[in-house]
Amino acid sequence: MQTSIVVRELCPTSTRQWLKTGAILLDIREAEATEALQFAEGNIMYMPLSQLMERYTEIPVETDVIVACERGVLSLDAAAFLQQNGFDRIYHMRKGLRHWVAKGYPVTGDTGDLPVSHHQCCGGHEHHHA
């Protein structure tokens, strides 16, 4: 029987606060996406999801790491993978870059392809990942 993984999540507002205190934002979007639009705040580490399984040992284990993608779906899976591989300071940014942009937080590049929607941002939540 497989045990479920509890993935802790942060909204973009909490993510910004954590980045100011030394957390790393791990952007797992593929190169084409990151070249078009980037997060423009904090310590950003780029590692495409397609390379994560081969390169995850490059991620510091002693630092809080917040995994982000475009919509917050793939980052949840990636965070669960990292937790299964011994990372205990891993978080996932809920709703991803789309929500970051919707909140008006800093980016560089073209946001024209992202539909902007305004949702409330709240505190941390947990997701169970089987």
Side-chain angles (χ1 to χ4, degrees):
M1 184 173 166
Q2 191 175 12
T3 58
S4 67
I5 299 285
V6 176
V7 177
R8 295 162 295 189
E9 70 174 22
L10 299 170
C11 69
T13 301
S14 297
T15 296
R16 287 186 82 197
Q17 293 167 352
W18 284 49
L19 291 175
K20 290 175 184 172
T21 59
I24 293 172
L25 184 68
L26 178 65
D27 187 342
I28 62 163
R29 296 175 301 133
E30 296 299 321
E32 184 178 303
T34 59
E35 287 166 12
L37 183 63
Q38 306 91 35
F39 291 94
E41 185 172 66
N43 186 2
I44 313 297
M45 182 176 189
Y46 295 97
M47 186 175 297
L49 184 60
S50 61
Q51 299 174 16
L52 187 66
M53 292 179 98
E54 294 80 35
R55 295 182 53 201
Y56 73 91
T57 56
E58 298 172 26
I59 301 167
V61 295
E62 71 284 352
T63 305
D64 291 321
V65 176
I66 305 160
V67 186
C69 64
E70 183 181 327
R71 292 187 173 100
V73 176
L74 297 176
S75 60
L76 181 59
D77 291 338
F81 167 79
L82 292 169
Q83 282 187 244
Q84 289 170 328
N85 284 277
F87 290 81
D88 61 358
R89 296 178 71 174
I90 292 291
Y91 303 82
H92 135 79
M93 189 174 83
R94 184 164 38 87
K95 298 184 183 177
L97 180 63
R98 286 175 178 255
H99 196 46
W100 178 277
V101 169
K103 298 291 289 181
Y105 296 155
V107 292
T108 56
D110 182 13
T111 60
D113 291 337
L114 293 179
V116 176
S117 59
H118 297 281
H119 296 284
Q120 291 253 228
C121 195
C122 53
H125 294 278
E126 293 183 349
H127 275 290
H128 292 275
H129 194 279

